[in-house]
Amino acid sequence: ALWNEIPVIVKTFSHKISARRHLSREIKGLTQLQKRGLNSANPLFYGRVGDGRWAVVIQKIVNSATVLKEFTEKTEKHKILDLLMQVCRELAKQHSKGVVQKDLHLGNFLQAEDQIYILDPGQMQFFSQQVPKTKSLSQLALLVCCLPADDTTSAEALYKEYFKTRGWRFQPTDKSLLSRQLLLHREKGIRHGL
């Protein structure tokens, strides 16, 4: 929609019991992301609208597409890896600023002009310090699940990029932990699919 001549996205919450709580979580998330200097949409309004529903209005990030859409449309392996590298760096940045996405998938990232933005702030956890290594690597493995299981070269490139962005040294024990996490996430995905 347009709001005061600005392209916007309007998200409404209409569940009778939990709408206000969901709105509150969304606004808290947007505020935390901005406070921590992470790429996210700007909130312009939140509250009750004319029909009684709760809503949040955020500035639309123009000329953008979800990373999932970009990922599925790309066919060249190096372009897919470049896209995932961008997401990987953004994920590392989130973790270094104490942010965890509880619903981590490519549809919750937006790409616009070589920038990656985070979507769905209502599904995030915020901590006063950096995300611990074990939790960070579990989320990294979840991102790597996007790659074909036999593409170990790209997986290792993503691991190294993440570690470089976090300022960590990539150790053989880290590779072992990541392999176990990757296997767990793949098995969980298969069970969920079945």
Side-chain angles (χ1 to χ4, degrees):
L2 280 178
W3 190 66
N4 295 332
E5 305 303 317
I6 300 169
V8 295
I9 302 288
V10 179
K11 190 170 183 178
T12 59
F13 303 87
S14 53
H15 191 275
K16 289 178 184 178
I17 298 168
S18 55
R20 190 173 185 170
R21 181 172 35 96
H22 290 167
L23 171 77
S24 175
R25 203 167 39 202
E26 190 86 7
I27 288 301
K28 179 187 172 202
L30 284 167
T31 304
Q32 283 291 326
L33 291 173
Q34 290 197 325
K35 192 169 141 183
R36 294 166 194 242
L38 294 166
N39 293 335
S40 64
N42 293 325
L44 302 172
F45 166 85
Y46 67 93
R48 216 169 204 150
V49 293
D51 64 4
R53 290 184 292 171
W54 295 92
V56 61
V57 178
I58 57 174
Q59 190 167 355
K60 183 178 181 183
I61 300 165
V62 292
N63 301 321
S64 63
T66 66
V67 169
L68 179 61
K69 182 178 186 292
E70 295 291 313
F71 180 80
T72 55
E73 290 178 356
K74 291 187 185 313
T75 54
E76 297 174 51
K77 187 176 173 180
H78 74 279
K79 287 187 177 179
I80 290 171
L81 183 58
D82 287 347
L83 178 64
L84 290 178
M85 286 287 203
Q86 282 184 288
V87 174
C88 184
R89 285 188 291 273
E90 188 60 35
L91 186 64
K93 199 164 121 183
Q94 288 175 32
H95 290 164
S96 69
K97 296 192 177 205
V99 178
V100 171
Q101 289 195 35
K102 292 190 287 184
D103 186 25
L104 179 68
H105 59 83
L106 296 182
N108 272 343
F109 292 94
L110 200 65
Q111 183 186 39
E113 299 177 15
D114 288 333
Q115 290 285 321
I116 300 293
Y117 292 83
I118 313 165
L119 301 177
D120 204 7
Q123 291 294 314
M124 294 179 187
Q125 291 178 298
F126 300 92
F127 301 97
S128 58
Q129 53 196 353
Q130 294 188 19
V131 177
K133 194 173 199 178
T134 306
K135 180 67 174 171
S136 297
L137 298 189
S138 176
Q139 288 223 305
L140 175 59
L142 193 55
L143 176 65
V144 173
C145 280
C146 301
L147 294 168
D150 62 346
D151 190 359
T152 55
T153 306
S154 295
E156 192 150 328
L158 286 171
Y159 297 155
K160 288 180 177 175
E161 187 65 25
Y162 181 92
F163 273 70
K164 180 178 148 193
T165 306
R166 288 292 300 264
W168 294 344
R169 285 188 54 219
F170 189 63
Q171 306 286 350
T173 53
D174 296 320
K175 187 174 181 179
S176 174
L177 176 61
L178 280 161
S179 295
R180 284 195 310 274
Q181 288 292 326
L182 190 57
L183 184 61
L184 284 171
H185 287 308
R186 288 194 195 281
E187 286 174 356
K188 187 178 176 183
I190 290 168
R191 282 196 308 273
H192 181 73
L194 292 172

